[in-house]
Amino acid sequence: LPHHHSLLFSQMKILPLLTLALTTTATVVGTATEAHGADQLKQSTQAIHQIYNTHKIDEAHWQLLVAVARKGTVVRYNTSECRTGDANGFTLGGYYGWNTGTRQTEMVLCGHGGDTQAIQSTIRHEAGHKIQDLKDGVRGDGRLAPFYNTQDPEFWAFYSKQGNIDHEYVESYKKSGDMSTYRLEADAEVQQTESAGDLIDRIYQF
């Protein structure tokens, strides 16, 4: 895995800053929208506190989660879905998607047995899906667009050479014939190889 930033803030310093970062950046219009936005931020704040307390994620990954929340996605941690495998039988590390019941995008992160490196990798991967959603440009349509040009042979040459990509997981979609998800997962895994700081910058470009 890539090198990670050292933890720059103590728990006593980082948690109040997290709450401040989330609660002062909601851009909302009207009372109903304000209430909905505040509820989303509250959910995300609680989840990010849990993730930090459990895994001691570093500052860059904490800021990446804050960026995802500021862009309107609810961050959730260790939900009931985490106790089941995905459609291809892989243990669920997390997912990004549109919740039709709550009508909001969600990033769910699972426990990874407390493994800091594993959850930081998952945070970057799922942030890659957030970036795909932002690139698609239509919130809540259930569609994502790869950040990179997955039609370019150079993308696949780079993808195939990366040792910190879960090729078995990505290739399972190709084997099942789901080429659209295959391209999206390959793109998210390539983004996962990049630094949390680079992904933060990318999110704020949209």
Side-chain angles (χ1 to χ4, degrees):
L1 291 172
H3 294 292
H4 298 290
H5 299 285
S6 60
L7 187 62
L8 299 182
F9 293 114
S10 69
Q11 181 175 343
M12 292 302 292
K13 292 180 180 178
I14 198 170
L15 298 185
L17 285 173
L18 168 60
T19 303
L20 179 64
L22 287 171
T23 57
T24 59
T25 53
T27 304
V28 291
V29 179
T31 304
T33 305
E34 285 181 2
H36 181 64
D39 184 59
Q40 285 186 331
L41 292 172
K42 181 179 179 181
Q43 290 180 59
S44 294
T45 301
Q46 291 172 343
I48 298 171
H49 282 186
Q50 276 189 288
I51 293 165
Y52 175 78
N53 288 332
T54 304
H55 299 272
K56 299 298 184 286
I57 59 173
D58 64 26
E59 185 209 358
H61 287 83
W62 161 69
Q63 290 183 347
L64 180 54
L65 289 175
V66 170
V68 168
R70 288 176 66 178
K71 284 291 187 175
T73 292
V74 175
V75 179
R76 299 171 65 206
Y77 177 63
N78 243 5
T79 64
S80 59
E81 296 92 336
C82 290
R83 293 186 281 276
T84 62
D86 70 5
N88 293 312
F90 287 87
T91 301
L92 189 64
Y95 70 86
Y96 176 91
W98 174 255
N99 186 317
T100 56
T102 60
R103 300 202 57 77
Q104 60 195 17
T105 55
E106 295 181 343
M107 176 189 287
V108 172
L109 297 164
C110 301
H112 292 283
D115 188 318
T116 301
Q117 300 295 330
I119 201 167
Q120 289 188 163
S121 176
T122 300
I123 290 169
R124 296 194 304 277
H125 176 100
E126 301 307 334
H129 287 312
K130 174 64 179 178
I131 290 163
Q132 293 169 351
D133 198 8
L134 291 168
K135 185 172 182 181
D136 173 66
V138 182
R139 181 176 178 269
D141 67 348
R143 297 181 181 179
L144 306 176
F147 178 76
Y148 289 108
N149 180 8
T150 56
Q151 304 297 326
D152 188 342
E154 290 188 9
F155 169 85
W156 294 105
F158 179 85
Y159 159 83
S160 64
K161 293 176 183 177
Q162 300 308 300
N164 55 342
I165 281 178
D166 190 344
H167 293 94
E168 181 184 5
Y169 165 70
V170 176
E171 294 299 320
S172 69
Y173 289 99
K174 184 178 182 180
K175 291 177 182 177
S176 68
D178 187 351
M179 297 305 293
S180 176
T181 303
Y182 172 60
R183 288 190 288 271
L184 290 169
E185 291 299 329
D187 178 78
E189 276 292 281
V190 167
Q191 293 193 72
Q192 175 268 138
T193 68
E194 301 174 58
S195 73
D198 286 343
L199 298 180
I200 292 168
D201 291 341
R202 193 167 297 163
I203 286 172
Y204 288 132
Q205 288 175 3
F206 292 96

